Amino acid sequence: MITWMQKHKKYLIVTIWISTIAFVGAGFVGWGQYDYGDKAGAVAKVGSVEITMGELQKSYSDLYNQYAQIFKGDFDEEKAKSFGLQSQALNFLTQQALVLNLAKSYSLDVTGAELLEHLKSLEYFQKDGVFNKDIYKDVLSKNNLKIKDYEANVKKELLIKKTLMLLPIETKESESKIIDTAMSIADKLDYKVLKEEIITIETTDELLKPFWEKMQNSFMSEVSYDVKYLKQPKVTKEYDEALLAEHYNENKANFKDGEGKILALDMAKEQVKSALDAKETKKEALKKYVAYKKGEADVSELQQATLLASSNPFGAEALDVVSKLTPASPFSKPVLVGEEYLIFELVALNAAKPKTFEEAKAELLPMYVRDQKRIKLLELAKNSFATFNGKTTDFITANDSNKLTDLTKDEADEFLSTLFSSQEKRGYIALESGNVVMYNVMEQRLLSNTNTDPNNSIARVKSGMFNEGLIKALQNKYKTEIFIQGL
C-alpha cells in the first residue's frame, strides 16, 4: 500500500481538497521551524489569497492524521518525510486558494445563515439531536480551537464546496455502459501463491555487511538535545468562597459530570480548586521563566537531561518545544508536564550521524531478510510460472477478491487489480506483502452483470480528470508565490 500511495500521492491530494467537510479533533502534529523571506506574515500567496503558517501547520497535521488512519496507526515522521507530507500540505492549501480565487471572481460568499445551518447539522455539536451552543463552545475549547478561527475555516471550506457545485459532472449512458462492460470481464484462473515463509535466508555478518555498506546512510542515529531545566511543582492554595464562585461562574461550562451536565458549585468545588491551583502554578512558572532568562534563578534547582524521540521522559509536547529551541533563543516558556511546569534551556543539539554496522544491525537484519526473500521468490516464480499447477477458480472479475481465500483481502485486491490491467495470459505478480502469485488465464468470459458500485463509476473517473484539469487552468490564471524556504 505504501508503494502504491507514494506513486499516486499527487492524485490523492487532488481529491482530498474536495472531500466533505469534517471536524478533526485529532492531536496536532508539527515539524519545526523554517526560514522566511521578506513576507514573514505569509508562507505563500495565490492570486489575492494569502496562506499563513498556522494554516500550513494545520494542513500538515490534518494530512498526517489522515495517513495515520489509512495505515491504522503505523505511520510516523519518517514515513511522512518519504511521502513529502510537508509539500503535500502546502500543495493542499495552494489548491484551495486557487478555488477561493475563482469564488472571488464570481462574487461568491457563505452567509452567516448558511454557516449556522451547517454547524447545526454536525452531530458532535448536538444534544438529543439539537444543536447545543454550550457543547459547541466546549468541544472547540477542548480541541484548542478559537470559535472565530474555526468558523472562518468552515466558511472557507463551504465556499470551496459551493464553488465546485457550480461545475457539475454529468455521466452519459454510453459511458456507464463502458464501465459495465469493463467490470463484467471475468477470468477463469489457475494460480499459485508463493509465500515468503517457504524461503530460508542466511544472516551471517559476511552477508549482511555488503548490504549495509550500500545503504549505511539510511541508518542514522537519532537527533538528541542536551538540556538544563527547572521545575515548577504544582501549587496548592486555599481560596475563599467568593473567588471560587467567581471562577466557577466564568468557567462553569468546564465543570461537568459524566453525562455532560454542568455541575452545581457545591458539586464542582474540588474541580474549581484544581483549576485555580493550575492557574497559580502557571503564574509561578512564568515568574521562574523570567528569572531564569535573566540569570537570577536558583542554580541549585537546575537539572540536566538528554531528550530524543525514543527516550523522552517529558512527553511529545516537551520534545516538540525543545526541538524548536536554538542557540540564539535557548529558553523555552513553561511546558506543562503532568501537573507541573518545566522550563528548558538548550545546551547542545546533537545532530544525527550514520550508525556503525553493529549499531545498525538490529534494524538492518529484517530489511536484509525481506529483501533477499523477495529476490529468491521472484527467481522461483520466474523459473516456475510457465509450468506450475495450482488452484483453479470459477470465473471471477476484478471485484471478486473474496473468492481468493488463500490471500488476504488487500493482497487479493492488489493481485486482481494488476491482473486485469495486464495483457499477459501467463505470468507472476509480486505483491506489496512480499508474496508472489503465479497465474494462468485458462478462459475468459463476458458476464451480464451491471456495475452498481459507485466507487467504480465513470462519474468518479470524470470528476478526477476534471478536477486535475481545473487546477491546471487556475494555476495558469492565478500566480502562486512561495515565501517559505525548504519546500
Side-chain angles (χ1 to χ4, degrees):
M1 179 178 283
I2 291 177
T3 302
W4 184 89
M5 292 181 75
Q6 284 174 325
K7 290 179 180 177
H8 296 82
K9 60 189 177 184
K10 70 175 182 179
Y11 301 108
L12 285 173
I13 198 68
V14 170
T15 60
I16 286 171
W17 58 262
I18 59 164
S19 62
T20 55
I21 301 163
F23 178 84
V24 180
F28 182 80
V29 182
W31 69 80
Q33 296 176 317
Y34 286 86
D35 295 325
Y36 295 90
D38 294 335
K39 300 190 178 183
V43 297
K45 185 176 181 181
V46 181
S48 61
V49 177
E50 289 191 343
I51 298 169
T52 68
M53 172 53 85
E55 290 173 321
L56 180 57
Q57 289 277 18
K58 184 181 182 302
S59 173
Y60 179 87
S61 179
D62 289 347
L63 280 174
Y64 187 100
N65 290 321
Q66 287 180 44
Y67 277 104
Q69 289 176 16
I70 291 170
F71 290 107
K72 300 178 181 178
D74 184 22
F75 192 75
D76 54 23
E77 288 294 341
E78 286 303 311
K79 286 190 177 72
K81 288 178 182 178
S82 73
F83 273 66
L85 216 62
Q86 296 171 10
S87 296
Q88 284 194 47
L90 184 58
N91 190 34
F92 169 88
L93 293 173
T94 57
Q95 290 182 5
Q96 278 194 332
L98 288 168
V99 180
L100 292 172
N101 276 284
L102 182 62
K104 282 187 177 183
S105 72
Y106 287 108
S107 299
L108 295 178
D109 198 7
V110 173
T111 66
E114 289 173 320
L115 173 63
L116 181 59
E117 182 181 358
H118 174 72
L119 294 175
K120 286 182 175 180
S121 71
L122 302 177
E123 291 183 2
Y124 36 77
F125 296 144
Q126 295 177 359
K127 182 178 181 181
D128 300 325
V130 179
F131 178 78
N132 185 291
K133 193 172 182 180
D134 287 334
I135 292 176
Y136 175 61
K137 291 179 179 178
D138 186 48
V139 170
L140 294 187
S141 174
K142 287 180 177 177
N143 285 278
N144 297 316
L145 293 169
K146 295 180 180 178
I147 292 177
K148 181 180 178 181
D149 294 340
Y150 175 67
E151 291 184 353
N153 190 57
V154 173
K155 284 187 71 174
K156 179 178 72 173
E157 295 188 358
L158 287 172
L159 181 56
I160 290 171
K161 189 175 181 181
K162 178 186 282 192
T163 306
L164 295 174
M165 287 176 67
L166 297 176
L167 308 166
I169 305 298
E170 297 180 354
T171 303
K172 296 179 180 179
E173 184 179 352
S174 59
E175 293 170 333
S176 296
K177 287 181 178 179
I178 292 172
I179 292 295
D180 287 344
T181 300
M183 299 307 297
S184 298
I185 295 173
D187 288 347
K188 186 175 184 180
L189 300 176
D190 182 25
Y191 77 100
K192 185 174 183 178
V193 181
L194 301 178
K195 297 194 173 183
E196 284 191 329
E197 51 260 38
I198 69 174
I199 304 294
T200 302
I201 302 296
E202 291 186 35
T203 56
T204 63
D205 285 359
E206 288 73 22
L207 293 171
L208 282 171
K209 280 186 177 179
F211 184 76
W212 168 73
E213 287 168 356
K214 292 178 183 177
M215 53 189 307
Q216 56 184 301
N217 288 332
S218 299
F219 301 97
M220 305 291 287
S221 65
E222 291 184 78
V223 175
S224 64
Y225 306 89
D226 295 332
V227 297
K228 294 179 182 177
Y229 65 96
L230 285 174
K231 283 186 178 181
Q232 174 55 58
K234 180 182 177 180
V235 173
T236 303
K237 289 186 175 182
E238 292 298 323
Y239 306 97
D240 60 39
E241 294 298 321
L243 184 57
L244 290 172
E246 179 185 353
H247 187 80
Y248 169 80
N249 288 328
E250 291 177 354
N251 303 276
K252 63 173 62 178
N254 295 331
F255 307 115
K256 298 180 179 180
D257 61 17
E259 297 178 355
K261 295 179 181 178
I262 295 176
L263 295 168
L265 175 56
D266 288 344
M267 299 296 293
K269 193 165 288 185
E270 289 304 315
Q271 292 184 36
V272 176
K273 286 181 179 179
S274 294
L276 287 170
D277 283 343
K279 189 176 180 180
E280 289 298 316
T281 304
K282 185 174 183 179
K283 186 187 297 183
E284 292 302 313
L286 286 169
K287 290 180 182 177
K288 189 169 285 190
Y289 162 70
V290 172
Y292 190 18
K293 285 187 70 175
K294 290 181 177 179
E296 298 171 358
D298 184 352
V299 293
S300 66
E301 295 182 13
L302 278 174
Q303 300 183 55
Q304 296 185 352
T306 298
L307 277 66
L308 57 164
S310 64
S311 177
N312 170 25
F314 306 121
E317 183 181 355
L319 180 62
D320 183 58
V321 168
V322 168
S323 70
K324 293 179 173 64
L325 299 178
T326 66
S329 181
F331 297 98
S332 76
K333 289 184 178 179
V335 182
L336 185 62
V337 178
E339 293 187 319
E340 60 187 11
Y341 282 90
L342 273 62
I343 301 106
F344 293 100
E345 178 187 3
L346 180 66
V347 176
L349 166 63
N350 306 305
K353 60 182 180 180
K355 293 181 179 180
T356 65
F357 173 72
E358 290 300 326
E359 290 171 336
K361 194 172 180 179
E363 297 173 70
L364 179 72
L365 188 59
M367 294 177 62
Y368 174 78
V369 169
R370 181 175 172 82
D371 180 75
Q372 293 301 303
K373 282 189 173 185
R374 177 159 296 201
I375 290 172
K376 291 186 180 297
L377 271 184
L378 288 172
E379 288 177 354
L380 180 59
K382 184 177 181 180
N383 294 330
S384 307
F385 80 92
T387 57
F388 81 95
N389 289 313
K391 187 182 294 186
T392 302
T393 69
D394 293 329
F395 283 95
I396 60 174
T397 69
N399 289 328
D400 289 329
S401 58
N402 61 311
K403 295 181 180 179
L404 304 178
T405 56
D406 43 1
L407 293 170
T408 67
K409 177 69 166 57
D410 286 345
E411 286 178 326
D413 284 337
E414 184 184 356
F415 168 63
L416 290 177
S417 175
T418 307
L419 175 69
F420 280 92
S421 301
S422 172
Q423 302 297 318
E424 302 297 327
K425 182 180 182 299
R426 271 186 181 268
Y428 57 90
I429 294 170
L431 304 178
E432 177 69 20
S433 66
N435 296 332
V436 178
V437 184
M438 299 186 294
Y439 68 88
N440 176 27
V441 180
M442 303 172 68
E443 193 177 345
Q444 197 168 72
R445 180 182 296 176
L446 187 63
L447 304 181
S448 58
N449 298 338
T450 297
N451 174 44
T452 58
D453 184 359
N455 291 322
N456 289 316
S457 70
I458 193 69
R460 289 184 68 86
V461 176
K462 291 180 69 175
S463 179
M465 295 172 65
F466 174 81
N467 291 332
E468 188 175 355
L470 174 63
I471 288 298
K472 288 181 180 178
L474 294 177
Q475 285 172 337
N476 291 330
K477 184 173 182 179
Y478 300 109
K479 181 181 179 181
T480 298
E481 300 175 87
I482 307 298
F483 309 130
I484 187 170
Q485 298 177 17
L487 289 180

